[in-house]
Amino acid sequence: MNTKGLSLASMLLVAAGGLYGCTDGDEAVINITSTTTGGGGGGGTTSNCPTWASARPHDSSGNDVCQLPSSIMQSRTLTSDKIWYMDGTVTVGNGNEEMSVIEGTLGNNEPVVNAILTIEAGTEIKGQTGSFANMIITRGSQIQAIGTAADPIIFSSDDDDYVGAGEWGGLLIHGYGLHNECLLANQGAVACNIDSEGESGFAGGYTADDDSGTLRYVIVTEGGFEFAVGNEINGISLVGVGSGTTLEYIQIHDNADDGIEFYGGAVSGKYLVLTSNLDDTVDWDEGWQGNLQYVLAIQGAATNGNAIEADTEGTLDFYSKPTIANGTFIGNGAQSTLLVFKASSGGFLHHSVFTYDSGFAGATTCINSVNAAQPPLTYLAFTNPVADCDTSGDVNLIPAPIADVQLDANYASQAAEASAVGDLDIAAINTTYAESVADPAFFDVTDYAGAVNPDGLDLWYAGWTLPGTL
């Protein structure tokens, strides 16, 4: 195997306060002003919390710690002046109950709650270490977690650092988006209720452009608690999430299961950083047809999955066939095959880089697609790849793999091939590949391969990702 021009940096730890946590009542929304005490040894003083949350002792830094209720049934705001704590499952709304054939009306004829969980920039939400603490945003409700580069929102466990896979659960988002187990021909006659990941209830529907909210500058780390033998949840799970939802500037780090998994839906995302997740980095299933651009996927030495694991499963009412452009996929860990397409899944990957960490020993294969959607190049296509696996696998990559993609310290490929791919033209791709459903309006026009521009002028991941993870 050729030596790659990059060795992953070792992990640096970041200190965070240690922590502690009712059910949501019918109180009106409460506006909270900043009451952070700062400093101090913590432990004895009761925190200042809204009436709908449980006050805990201050953490070791003197911050107020407020435990979230197990059920949030009206719009709430998590302010950045407090640490918000979960000791178990926190469910926003009731849309994970069985739905009737009318979206917005449950099977028992009760209305679906439309709660909005707003999370301020710089807020930390912490799950109890060693528990299945997790957050579920159900159908009809939304999460509006809008951080900034200076103040990202962080979901983690409640210990004193941001590393330690499997310490808590994860973030699950449901929607009314399309799912291939709910036949489109049955809309209006058969309710769509998909039994969802992580025992999180029901999701799915018939509204392709459903909006489950916004995640922007959000970090999810240390998740993937094993709640049953061999059964963990992903850092972020998206079940039937529609194209009206926004995902931008997301880091998922050190998760015990997959980094991010899409179960049906058409949600799209830009600027994803996926680092040291232990199973698959990006996973999709059950008819996902969204778009991704600028994906920096870096496996760790302990990873035992693939950079992409692609499935369709379900009833095959329609295939999974998302589009990814400007991805950089860096293999490591246990698997010598980087991308695996199976269970009839398709996919369209453009202007992307495929490589392995310099420390990886053994022969490498870019793609295994023997079980992918057939016939070849109808549902599965790669345009302008820049790859240095030892073999491309069972897909005839054009151009063929090269000796070294030459990733620099910014994760940008300096190989001449990376700057010779021409302009990304999604409209033309859709014409060439009739099964491609990529949205030309979503994608930026780039003229390079990989997640980072070789000119080094747009290091979009810098300043907000966890220190030491890149």
Side-chain angles (χ1 to χ4, degrees), residues 411-422:
Y411 296 93
S413 175
Q414 300 300 301
E417 291 83 352
S419 296
V421 294

Side-chain angles (χ1 to χ4, degrees), residues 129 200 203 267 272 286-287 438:
T129 298
S200 59
V267 59
L272 306 186
E286 298 164 3

Side-chain angles (χ1 to χ4, degrees), residues 118-405:
T118 300
I119 306 177
E120 291 184 348
T123 300
E124 295 203 48
I125 303 95
K126 294 180 175 286
Q128 180 181 346
T129 298
S131 78
F132 188 46
N134 61 89
M135 179 175 287
I136 306 167
I137 310 300
T138 70
R139 291 178 290 189
S141 291
Q142 291 185 343
I143 182 170
Q144 295 293 341
I146 303 176
T148 66
D151 291 300
I153 293 163
I154 303 177
F155 288 82
S156 71
S157 72
D158 66 343
D159 64 8
D160 290 332
D161 56 48
Y162 292 121
V163 293
E167 293 183 349
W168 67 291
L171 176 61
L172 303 100
I173 303 177
H174 295 178
Y176 290 119
L178 305 182
H179 189 285
N180 68 3
E181 291 184 18
C182 296
L183 303 182
L184 295 176
N186 290 335
Q187 182 175 3
V190 178
C192 183
N193 289 294
I194 302 303
D195 193 6
S196 300
E197 168 81 352
E199 300 181 350
S200 59
F202 297 103
Y206 299 101
T207 304
D209 62 352
D210 185 49
D211 183 358
S212 294
T214 300
L215 300 180
R216 182 176 292 123
Y217 289 107
V218 171
I219 296 168
V220 178
T221 185
E222 304 179 296
F225 184 80
E226 187 178 53
F227 63 93
V229 176
N231 200 349
E232 307 90 6
I233 66 172
N234 310 300
I236 299 180
S237 300
L238 300 134
V239 190
V241 176
S243 62
T245 308
T246 299
L247 304 178
E248 293 179 341
Y249 300 100
I250 310 294
Q251 182 180 22
I252 304 171
H253 177 70
D254 206 16
N255 198 74
D257 198 35
D258 302 335
I260 189 167
E261 184 159 3
F262 302 86
Y263 301 86
V267 59
S268 297
K270 281 183 176 178
Y271 307 110
L272 306 186
V273 177
L274 308 165
T275 46
S276 299
N277 297 294
L278 299 191
D279 197 9
D280 303 310
T281 305
V282 180
D283 200 334
W284 65 73
D285 206 345
E286 298 164 3
W288 178 52
Q289 297 189 359
N291 310 281
L292 298 178
Q293 190 173 26
Y294 311 119
V295 180
L296 185 52
I298 305 173
Q299 294 183 326
T303 298
N304 192 31
N306 303 104
I308 289 179
E309 183 179 83
D311 296 276
T312 286
E313 297 292 358
T315 63
L316 300 188
D317 189 43
F318 48 87
Y319 285 117
S320 301
K321 49 178 185 178
T323 298
I324 300 175
N326 295 107
T328 295
F329 298 93
I330 304 172
N332 204 351
Q335 300 300 323
S336 61
T337 300
L338 198 61
L339 315 179
V340 174
F341 293 80
K342 59 184 184 179
S344 301
S345 179
F348 298 87
L349 282 78
H350 314 300
H351 282 44
S352 291
V353 168
F354 311 129
T355 187
Y356 271 79
D357 178 74
S358 60
F360 188 87
T364 60
T365 301
C366 286
I367 301 155
N368 179 341
S369 65
V370 293
N371 295 313
Q374 299 298 330
L377 302 184
T378 299
Y379 288 90
L380 180 63
F382 300 81
T383 68
N384 296 308
V386 178
D388 65 355
C389 311
D390 293 302
T391 176
S392 62
D394 54 18
V395 170
N396 184 24
L397 291 181
I398 301 173
I402 61 177
D404 192 347
V405 302

Side-chain angles (χ1 to χ4, degrees), residues 406-436:
Q406 300 176 21
L407 292 179
D408 66 11
N410 297 323
Y411 296 93
S413 175
Q414 300 300 301
E417 291 83 352
S419 296
V421 294
D423 287 346
L424 178 67
D425 189 340
I426 294 296
I429 289 169
N430 287 351
T431 299
T432 302
Y433 302 101
E435 291 297 335
S436 174

